[in-house]
Amino acid sequence: MGDATIAFNLKSRSTGAGSMYDSMANRPGTPGSDEQLMLAFSQGAAEAFDELFSRYRRPIFGFFWRRVADAGRAEELTQDTFTAVIRASAHYRADALFRTYLYAIAFKVLRAYRRRAAFRATFLGESPSHHDPPAQGDFETGAMVRDAVKKLDPVDREILLLREFEQLAYAEISVLLALPLNTVRSRLFRARTALRNLLASPEPGSAPGKQEERR
Amino acid sequence: MNSAATHHFAPQEVMSFVDGELTAAESQAAAAHIADCPECSVIADEFRATSQRLAQWQANEAPARLADAVQRSATHAAERNSGRQPAPFTFAKLRRPKVWMYASGGALACTLLVLALPFVLPRHLDRTSAFIAGEGNGRLQSGAGVAGAGLENRQPIQAAIAGAEMDRPSPAPPVSASQPAPMIERSVTMVIVVRNIAASRTALDSMLARHHGYAAQITVYTPERDASSIEASLRIPVPELTAALADLRALGRVSNESQSGEDVTQQHADLEQRLKTARDTEERFRTILQQRTGKVSDVLEVEEAIARVRGEIESMEAEQKNLEHRVEYATISLTLSETPKANFSTEDAASGSRMRNALATGYRNTVGTVAGIVVFLIEFGPSILIWMAIVVLPAFLLWRRYRSIRARL
């Protein structure tokens, strides 16, 4: 049983929802790793970026799609993210994992979008679009999960999403969100517990540990 | 980290194990424990189940046109990176902190330069002109001194005028045929910088005695922290004037000297003339008094007239004497100043009182400042509050709204 557990572990890491990259090829330092490709692109190899793009296109789109209430908007933000990476490509240095770098850029794009949208909503009266992202597959359960996630505390939700969907390690999450590692762990625990309770008893009430307006 | 000996792993550690966040050794220990511990096993299963539920929320496929647009920018960027095309200017570049740093630094430098110019330039000009003025004075002798020598040349003209007056029929008795020598009232102004005022004072006194002069007025200034100085008005007999001036020049460095001569010959001659007339008049009155003895009132009248004329004569005589004296004795207006020496002694008797004065001033300033603030608050406080209510409150509310919307996104 112990072995099976370990095998399951590895499996769940490499095939998370929405991730398409092969974890074997992506070990940094090996030829064809993200960092190598990015360095090659920074020196003029256009096809290196194609490979990176194909690896991360869907994950980044999913990243935005889960956080922004509009597929069209998610598409724009994904494009902005990759454009930003392209523009900064001349100065790229392989200091950290490319994946952390990419998600950091995606986060900046997301924050900028949220700021703009909130500004427009506050001062210009435009209401932010409230299309709930449609769920594929089992429509009902997908929608239920989506609604349960929405009820979580914003920071807890972010940590959960980064862990479950973007498959980031605790260390990467703590860097991206500028939180201590222990905080990440405890909040992730809290988020999962809350989500489990929400999914177990689907009531339109508040889950334990949820704080709506805190940021 | 809990070892396998303890009964429970904390649930968070079980979670870390499920997420693969433990080291290899820790993982093994945890796996071994979970295998044996039903509670931890349940916890681990629950975590996995939650993850699986989450996986049901799937995202759509990213649209194709996204791929095309990104591909295009990637190609352009690759060309730039390989050096074939220069990077275009984007407004995003303006957002870089470095640009703002240089821009604000440059603006600050320009502002400082513009503000400093009015202070730098005029002072520079002042110093230049002061330099020019200061150096020149010491060696100058004013034109008047030179002109004094030139007055001798006017003598023939004087003589001609006097001669013309002699020819002119005048109601006054004829002027005396002998032409008097020109009478010049001489005055000299000197400013000398000396090393020691006291020594110079002594030298001055001895000089006066030597040249039979006297001091009409001497004032000595000895301020506490400044250079001492003497202002004096001296009278020197004209024959001794040149020698006296030479002695004075020897006292120190002459920073300023000017001489002038006023020709008072005519003045003197006029006075002489009037005196003569007055004396003659007086004589005639006396003769009348002696010869004609008439009524008492007539006698009184004549005596009154005599007294009046006598008064005039006496005042004219005094004026004449004064004039003659001024011609006999030249006037020297002398200013002696000491080269300023900074005081080395720190034992200033006044420093104690300076401290006390400073304390008092400081206390006054403090009270003044506090009072000023209070006054300001009283005067403007209500208006400020009103403005804050009008401006700040709505802004604050909008800000709150912004934050809440942002949190909800």
Side-chain angles (χ1 to χ4, degrees):
Chain A
M1 170 120 171
D3 291 336
T5 316
I6 296 173
F8 184 79
N9 252 348
L10 287 170
K11 192 163 180 294
S12 72
R13 277 213 67 183
S14 66
T15 57
S19 85
M20 277 182 63
Y21 52 85
D22 184 2
S23 64
M24 296 296 288
N26 200 26
R27 230 168 279 140
T30 61
S33 73
D34 295 340
E35 291 72 26
Q36 295 284 351
L37 287 172
M38 191 61 197
L39 278 170
F41 178 59
S42 74
Q43 274 138 24
E47 61 281 357
F49 192 80
D50 291 346
E51 175 58 29
L52 277 173
F53 182 60
S54 68
R55 281 186 197 174
Y56 283 101
R57 194 179 94 202
R58 228 187 117 174
I60 296 290
F61 178 76
F63 171 86
F64 284 115
W65 183 83
R66 276 180 286 276
R67 289 160 177 79
V68 168
D70 191 29
R73 193 75 69 188
E75 176 191 333
E76 281 174 31
L77 295 175
T78 313
Q79 185 168 349
D80 289 347
T81 308
F82 282 108
T83 314
V85 170
I86 289 169
R87 235 186 261 128
S89 62
H91 311 290
Y92 175 74
R93 275 189 302 273
D95 296 339
L97 279 181
F98 173 75
R99 195 174 65 173
T100 318
Y101 173 73
L102 179 64
Y103 277 112
I105 293 181
F107 248 109
K108 279 196 199 132
V109 169
L110 179 70
R111 275 199 213 103
Y113 161 74
R114 279 179 175 159
R115 246 183 288 131
R116 273 198 311 272
F119 182 83
R120 274 201 286 270
T122 314
F123 297 101
L124 306 180
E126 294 174 14
S127 58
S129 51
H130 276 305
H131 314 294
D132 287 324
Q136 238 182 9
D138 190 345
F139 182 73
E140 209 182 282
T141 38
M144 211 165 63
V145 168
R146 179 198 66 214
D147 293 336
V149 167
K150 246 175 49 171
K151 293 199 181 92
L152 293 175
D153 169 77
V155 178
D156 290 356
R157 177 172 66 222
E158 193 58 59
I159 297 177
L160 180 69
L161 292 178
L162 284 174
R163 173 66 215 131
E164 292 289 345
F165 293 100
E166 275 70 51
Q167 301 272 295
L168 296 185
Y170 293 178
E172 289 175 294
I173 296 175
S174 89
V175 164
L176 270 178
L177 299 182
L179 293 170
L181 193 67
N182 295 331
T183 310
V184 170
R185 186 166 39 224
S186 55
R187 292 190 85 149
L188 179 61
F189 180 78
R190 188 169 72 186
R192 279 171 163 157
T193 315
L195 188 67
R196 195 187 66 225
N197 295 339
L198 280 169
L199 292 174
S201 53
E203 290 162 22
S206 47
K210 171 200 119 164
Q211 288 167 57
E212 201 60 85
E213 299 276 305
R214 196 154 55 104
R215 176 149 285 283
Chain B
M1 187 199 109
N2 287 337
S3 65
T6 4
H7 179 59
H8 270 301
F9 273 64
Q12 281 194 23
E13 287 181 82
V14 175
M15 183 187 80
S16 303
F17 166 73
V18 170
D19 285 337
E21 290 282 335
L22 299 177
T23 63
E26 291 168 346
S27 268
Q28 249 181 343
H33 171 81
I34 288 173
D36 294 331
C37 172
E39 287 177 40
C40 293
S41 182
V42 163
I43 292 174
D45 287 337
E46 278 179 345
F47 280 127
R48 292 185 200 110
T50 312
S51 295
Q52 281 181 315
R53 288 292 302 275
L54 271 171
Q56 287 164 354
W57 185 26
Q58 287 275 13
N60 285 331
E61 180 71 39
R65 57 174 190 272
L66 168 68
D68 295 337
V70 175
Q71 229 93 14
R72 262 180 279 129
S73 349
T75 320
H76 288 146
E79 285 178 6
R80 280 198 303 275
N81 287 345
S82 63
R84 267 172 276 168
Q85 262 186 38
F89 170 76
T90 52
F91 278 105
K93 282 195 184 160
L94 282 180
R95 271 190 257 128
R96 287 209 214 116
K98 257 196 209 161
V99 177
W100 285 109
M101 252 170 46
Y102 288 132
S104 53
L108 191 67
C110 285
T111 316
L112 286 174
L113 195 67
V114 166
L115 287 175
L117 268 176
F119 295 106
V120 169
L121 282 181
R123 258 199 284 127
H124 179 69
L125 291 172
D126 280 345
R127 263 191 281 136
T128 317
S129 58
F131 169 74
I132 292 174
E135 280 297 306
N137 275 348
R139 291 183 233 109
L140 272 181
Q141 277 208 346
S142 94
V146 178
L151 274 173
E152 271 78 61
N153 298 333
R154 292 175 53 187
Q155 191 181 352
I157 306 169
Q158 277 300 95
I161 293 173
E165 282 198 13
M166 273 170 61
D167 293 336
R168 196 175 46 177
S170 59
V175 85
S176 61
S178 64
Q179 181 58 38
M183 302 173 74
I184 313 288
E185 191 183 321
R186 292 196 191 279
S187 52
V188 180
T189 310
M190 273 183 119
V191 178
I192 306 182
V193 179
V194 301
R195 276 196 208 288
N196 188 320
I197 281 289
S200 308
R201 175 80 199 274
T202 322
L204 194 64
D205 289 338
S206 69
M207 188 276 290
L208 283 173
R210 219 173 22 251
H211 295 290
H212 316 294
Y214 66 96
Q217 185 225 359
I218 298 190
T219 315
V220 184
Y221 299 101
T222 30
E224 194 178 293
R225 229 174 277 108
D226 214 347
S228 308
S229 60
I230 295 182
E231 280 177 20
S233 184
L234 310 171
R235 303 265 191 274
I236 304 281
V238 168
E240 302 276 341
L241 183 60
T242 321
L245 288 178
D247 282 350
L248 281 176
R249 284 194 206 101
L251 283 178
R253 183 180 75 84
V254 178
S255 81
N256 200 353
E257 180 179 334
S258 70
Q259 299 190 27
S260 66
E262 194 188 337
D263 186 354
V264 295
T265 320
Q266 191 58 38
Q267 225 173 313
H268 190 263
D270 286 346
L271 258 178
E272 190 63 49
Q273 199 57 37
R274 282 158 53 204
L275 262 173
K276 196 164 185 315
T277 315
R279 283 195 189 110
D280 288 346
T281 313
E282 193 191 23
E283 199 50 51
R284 276 210 299 282
F285 278 143
R286 284 199 193 283
T287 317
I288 291 171
L289 202 58
Q290 279 173 349
Q291 286 173 353
R292 306 204 196 136
T293 51
K295 294 198 290 252
V296 176
S297 55
D298 288 340
V299 169
L300 282 175
E301 252 183 67
V302 172
E303 281 193 353
E304 240 177 81
I306 290 177
R308 205 172 47 243
V309 171
R310 178 92 310 240
E312 283 174 24
I313 290 174
E314 277 173 5
S315 95
M316 280 192 283
E317 277 177 347
E319 206 182 313
Q320 194 183 43
K321 264 205 179 37
N322 192 9
L323 202 62
E324 282 163 3
H325 183 81
R326 292 206 317 262
V327 171
E328 263 179 56
Y329 278 76
T331 308
I332 302 182
S333 304
L334 182 66
T335 308
L336 297 176
S337 60
E338 210 174 39
T339 33
K341 286 190 294 285
N343 199 357
F344 273 107
S345 77
T346 48
E347 205 186 285
D348 200 343
S351 54
S353 56
R354 277 176 70 201
M355 299 291 180
R356 200 194 68 80
N357 288 347
L359 271 171
T361 313
Y363 172 72
R364 270 202 310 263
N365 284 344
T366 314
V367 171
T369 309
V370 172
I373 292 175
V374 172
V375 164
F376 173 81
L377 284 176
I378 295 173
E379 277 185 27
F380 295 105
S383 333
I384 291 178
L385 285 174
I386 292 173
W387 276 112
M388 274 179 61
I390 294 175
V391 171
V392 172
L393 203 57
F396 176 68
L397 291 173
L398 275 175
W399 168 251
R400 275 242 306 255
R401 192 165 157 232
Y402 166 84
R403 297 280 297 196
S404 66
I405 291 179
R406 169 102 191 264
R408 265 187 272 125
L409 276 176

